[in-house]
Amino acid sequence: MMIFHNYAQAISNAKANNESQVNFNKPITAVEAIPSEKDTVTLSDKALAMMSGQEYSEEAPIYIRPQTSKSLLAANEAQNTVENTKANEEKALDTRFSEMMQTILDKRLGIDSEKLEEIEAMIEQVADDDSLSPKAKKEALEKLEEMREQIFKESREILEATEKTD
């Protein structure tokens, strides 16, 4: 009796034949020839170039360092910073443009914007002051509102006077 020594081949033969058991006493079966229709060869780019008489130079592969989470987070933070800077610049431009437009409008209407800002600041102070009684707060706010209305009234009078002279 002949003992089969190539165990790996015996196992692969059994798998190929869908056998549930491996018989190690079975002799090696001959390798079946591949029909010429199925037999293929893949040539490398270098071999194809040599066959056509061309020179072939293979480029060395480039090592690309994998990105770490730390580098990705840093890149994301940098991008967010750039976006925030752009957004802040746009807001600043919008604010500046709004202020310019308000200044032009105030000048045309004859409104003293500095006095209005002072009155608005005083209104905020009175509203935030907790030491005043509600009645005193109300009276102070009413006086400040009257002062603000007086500024608007004066600006309307100036505007009417300029329209009559034109």
Side-chain angles (χ1 to χ4, degrees):
M1 165 164 60
M2 184 174 168
I3 299 175
F4 188 64
H5 291 288
N6 193 349
Y7 298 112
Q9 187 176 7
I11 292 171
S12 64
N13 284 342
K15 282 183 182 178
N17 295 332
N18 290 330
E19 295 176 0
S20 62
Q21 293 181 350
V22 178
N23 186 359
F24 293 106
N25 295 328
K26 192 191 247 182
I28 299 173
T29 55
V31 177
E32 295 179 20
I34 299 173
S36 60
E37 303 88 36
K38 293 183 179 181
D39 192 14
T40 59
V41 175
T42 304
L43 298 176
S44 67
D45 292 338
K46 184 176 182 180
L48 291 172
M50 289 175 68
M51 286 175 50
S52 63
Q54 299 172 351
E55 287 190 29
Y56 178 78
S57 62
E58 190 171 319
E59 295 179 15
I62 298 172
Y63 174 74
I64 299 174
R65 184 177 182 187
Q67 290 184 323
T68 61
S69 60
K70 184 178 180 181
S71 64
L72 289 172
L73 287 172
N76 190 25
E77 184 67 31
Q79 183 179 4
N80 288 343
T81 303
V82 169
E83 289 175 0
N84 288 342
T85 304
K86 286 181 182 178
N88 289 341
E89 288 174 0
E90 288 176 6
K91 286 180 185 177
L93 286 174
D94 287 346
T95 304
R96 189 170 164 213
F97 181 72
S98 297
E99 288 173 358
M100 287 181 357
M101 290 301 293
Q102 188 63 46
T103 304
I104 291 170
L105 231 138
D106 291 347
K107 293 292 181 189
R108 283 191 179 169
L109 296 174
I111 297 174
D112 188 0
S113 57
E114 291 176 7
K115 285 184 182 177
L116 276 177
E117 288 176 9
E118 289 175 12
I119 292 173
E120 291 292 331
M122 288 191 294
I123 289 173
E124 285 181 25
Q125 283 179 344
V126 169
D128 292 340
D129 191 5
D130 292 333
S131 63
L132 294 174
S133 66
K135 187 177 180 182
K137 227 185 233 191
K138 184 177 178 183
E139 289 175 4
L141 289 174
E142 286 176 0
K143 287 180 184 178
L144 291 171
E145 288 292 328
E146 287 176 14
M147 291 171 63
R148 193 165 82 173
E149 287 297 322
Q150 184 64 30
I151 291 174
F152 287 128
K153 186 177 179 183
E154 290 172 3
S155 69
R156 279 181 276 194
E157 290 172 358
I158 293 170
L159 186 61
E160 288 175 2
T162 57
E163 286 178 359
K164 288 180 183 176
T165 57
D166 289 338

